[in-house]
């Protein structure tokens, strides 16, 4: 009995396997058809690529739009003129980095952005350098110490700007020194108006109150800081009398005081029916100036002339030395 059942099961399995093989054989695709459809797909893909490349090649040049935001009229016109001269390809193939390099290469440009816009084309947005001081007579310098030539000569020699002078590669150092000195002297209401760094690394500084300071490159910061403290304390009452300070000493400094302007006392002489005229002549500070008053009437009648003696108060420019000094 078991044997008969086993044979029946085997026959059923054989029939099922044969039916499966027949169905698979009916659904299977010949190899030639497979190769045909594969070749057709590859051909269509190549055709699309070729047509796309042709469309990009034949596409019109992309339009370049320059944003005027943040730019003066002169800066905008300068940038637009430079971009109009550039040869660009289509919207998709234009080299944005190349355009960016051209714009950032302009001396007055600080930052630049180049983007693609479906409606406008290639959009260029630039921000100019912000000058805070003059450098020499034909250039400006920004807060980073970068020296540049402005697009408009009207931006040069602005009275509100300090004047920096020195080698171009030393501009960041000069700018940093000026900013530091301004911080130190701000409490006594003094600000740098001119600052020069010579080739021998000597600093010449003139403040807005007329005070001139000269200092060498040895302990420069400490010397300038000490002077600001002295001007705010011990020398505060005589600050306006100081003409210049020389800090090129190891253990002290020298002060040059302003000269007191001569004061000439004159006396007006009055004569009846006559006009009076006083002529004063300055002489040496140790002498007394005399003035003659000549009065002449229209009818040539002479009036007695009188001499007027005047005293002249003068003070020679003196140099006061503070602490023992040893010149370097």
């Amino acid at each position: 009995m078991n044997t008969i059942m086993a044979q029946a099961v085997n026959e059923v399995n054989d029939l099922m396997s044969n039916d499966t093989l027949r169905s698979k054989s009916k659904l299977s695709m010949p190899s030639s058809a497979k190769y045909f459809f594969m070749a057709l797909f590859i051909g269509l893909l190549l055709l699309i690529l070729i047509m796309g490349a042709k469309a990009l090649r034949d596409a019109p040049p992309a339009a370049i739009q320059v944003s005027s935001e943040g730019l003066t009229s002169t800066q905008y016109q300068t940038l637009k003129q430079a971009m109009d001269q550039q040869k660009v390809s289509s919207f998709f193939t234009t080299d944005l980095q190349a355009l960016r390099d051209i714009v950032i290469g302009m001396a007055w440009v600080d930052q630049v952005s180049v983007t693609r816009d479906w409606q406008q084309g290639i959009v260029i947005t630039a921000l100019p350098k912000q000058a805070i001081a003059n450098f020499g007579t034909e250039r400006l310098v920004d807060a980073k110490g970068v020296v540049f030539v402005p697009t408009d000569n009207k931006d040069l020699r602005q009275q509100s700007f300090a004047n920096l002078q020195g080698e171009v590669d030393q501009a960041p150092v000069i700018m940093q020194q000026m900013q530091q000195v301004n911080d130190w002297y701000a409490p006594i209401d003094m600000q740098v108006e001119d600052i020069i760094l010579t080739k021998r690394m000597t600093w010449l500084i003139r403040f807005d109150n007329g005070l001139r300071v000269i200092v060498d490159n040895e302990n420069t910061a400490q010397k300038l800081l000490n002077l600001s403290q002295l001007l705010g304390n011990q020398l505060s009452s005589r600050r306006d009398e100081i003409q210049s300070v020389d800090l090129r000493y190891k253990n002290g400094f020298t002060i040059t005081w302003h000269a007191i302007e001569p004061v000439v006392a004159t006396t007006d002489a009055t004569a009846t029916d006559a006009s009076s005229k006083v002529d004063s002549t300055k002489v040496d500070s140790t002498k007394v100036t005399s003035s003659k008053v000549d009065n002449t009437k229209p009818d040539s009648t002479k009036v007695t002339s009188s001499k007027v003696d005047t005293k002249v108060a003068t003070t020679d420019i003196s140099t006061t030395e503070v602490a023992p000094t040893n010149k370097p």
Side-chain angles (χ1 to χ4, degrees):
M1 184 67 179
N2 293 332
T3 303
I4 295 172
M5 291 291 295
Q7 289 178 353
V9 171
N10 290 333
E11 290 176 358
V12 172
N13 289 335
D14 292 339
L15 289 174
M16 292 179 64
S17 61
N18 290 334
D19 293 339
T20 303
L21 291 173
R22 290 193 194 98
S23 63
K24 286 185 178 180
S25 62
K26 291 179 181 179
L27 295 175
S28 63
M29 183 180 296
S31 299
S32 59
K34 290 181 179 180
Y35 291 132
F36 172 76
F37 283 109
M38 185 178 294
L40 181 62
F41 175 76
I42 294 174
L44 290 174
L45 183 60
L46 290 174
L47 180 62
I48 293 172
L49 291 176
I50 293 172
M51 292 179 65
K54 186 176 184 301
L56 290 175
R57 184 190 62 187
D58 298 338
I64 298 181
Q65 298 293 333
V66 176
S67 174
S68 61
E69 184 178 357
L71 302 178
T72 64
S73 177
T74 304
Q75 291 169 344
Y76 171 76
Q77 293 297 333
T78 301
L79 181 56
K80 189 176 186 305
Q81 183 178 4
M83 291 299 99
D84 289 343
Q85 297 175 353
Q86 302 305 315
K87 294 182 178 180
V88 296
S89 54
S90 66
F91 178 82
F92 292 101
T93 59
T94 298
D95 189 349
L96 301 187
Q97 185 60 42
L99 291 177
R100 184 184 184 279
D101 292 341
I102 293 173
V103 177
I104 203 68
M106 297 181 177
W108 57 272
V109 175
D110 185 36
Q111 300 179 25
V112 62
S113 171
V114 183
T115 58
R116 289 185 175 92
D117 185 277
W118 285 108
Q119 296 180 346
Q120 301 183 66
I122 308 299
V123 179
I124 297 178
T125 304
L127 293 178
K129 290 184 174 69
Q130 299 298 323
I132 64 171
N134 298 309
F135 195 87
T137 58
E138 299 180 352
R139 288 171 290 188
L140 300 174
V141 59
D142 64 7
K144 302 175 185 176
V146 178
V147 178
F148 65 96
V149 178
T151 56
D152 195 340
N153 290 334
K154 294 180 180 179
D155 296 334
L156 295 171
R157 309 302 299 173
Q158 296 191 30
Q159 294 182 355
S160 60
F161 285 173
N163 301 310
L164 282 62
Q165 293 188 44
E167 300 293 332
V168 174
D169 57 355
Q170 293 290 337
V173 177
I174 301 174
M175 174 59 65
Q176 184 179 4
Q177 184 74 287
M178 185 192 74
Q179 293 172 339
Q180 184 65 77
V181 171
N182 281 338
D183 290 341
W184 288 335
Y185 287 76
I188 55 176
D189 197 25
M190 290 175 59
Q191 215 173 20
V192 174
E193 193 164 283
D194 297 283
I195 182 168
I196 301 172
L197 178 59
T198 68
K199 292 182 178 180
R200 294 186 177 183
M201 303 303 290
T202 298
W203 293 91
L204 305 173
I205 303 173
R206 185 171 71 88
F207 291 91
D208 54 0
N209 65 346
L211 174 64
R212 297 191 297 271
V213 176
I214 182 171
V215 58
D216 55 11
N217 200 38
E218 184 177 350
N219 297 325
T220 304
Q222 189 62 50
K223 290 177 180 179
L224 290 171
L225 177 59
N226 291 343
L227 177 62
S228 69
Q229 294 172 349
L230 287 171
L231 292 174
N233 295 289
Q234 291 95 323
L235 297 174
S236 60
S237 60
R238 304 193 63 187
R239 190 189 309 159
D240 295 337
E241 303 175 29
I242 301 175
Q243 183 180 33
S244 62
V245 180
D246 191 342
L247 300 176
R248 294 174 298 173
Y249 298 86
K250 293 181 179 180
N251 301 315
F253 57 89
T254 59
I255 295 177
T256 301
W257 304 92
H258 281 295
I260 299 176
E261 293 295 333
V263 178
V264 179
T266 60
T267 302
D268 294 335
T270 305
T272 306
D273 298 328
S275 61
S276 61
K277 182 179 180 182
V278 180
D279 295 329
S280 301
T281 304
K282 295 181 181 178
V283 294
D284 295 338
S285 59
T286 56
K287 295 180 180 180
V288 178
T289 303
S290 61
S291 302
K292 285 186 177 181
V293 181
D294 295 330
N295 300 311
T296 306
K297 298 178 71 174
D299 58 359
S300 300
T301 303
K302 293 184 179 180
V303 181
T304 305
S305 61
S306 60
K307 292 184 179 180
V308 181
D309 293 335
T310 59
K311 293 183 179 180
V312 182
T314 62
T315 302
D316 294 335
I317 299 177
S318 60
T319 299
T320 305
E321 187 173 321
V322 180
T325 59
N326 294 312
K327 285 192 176 181

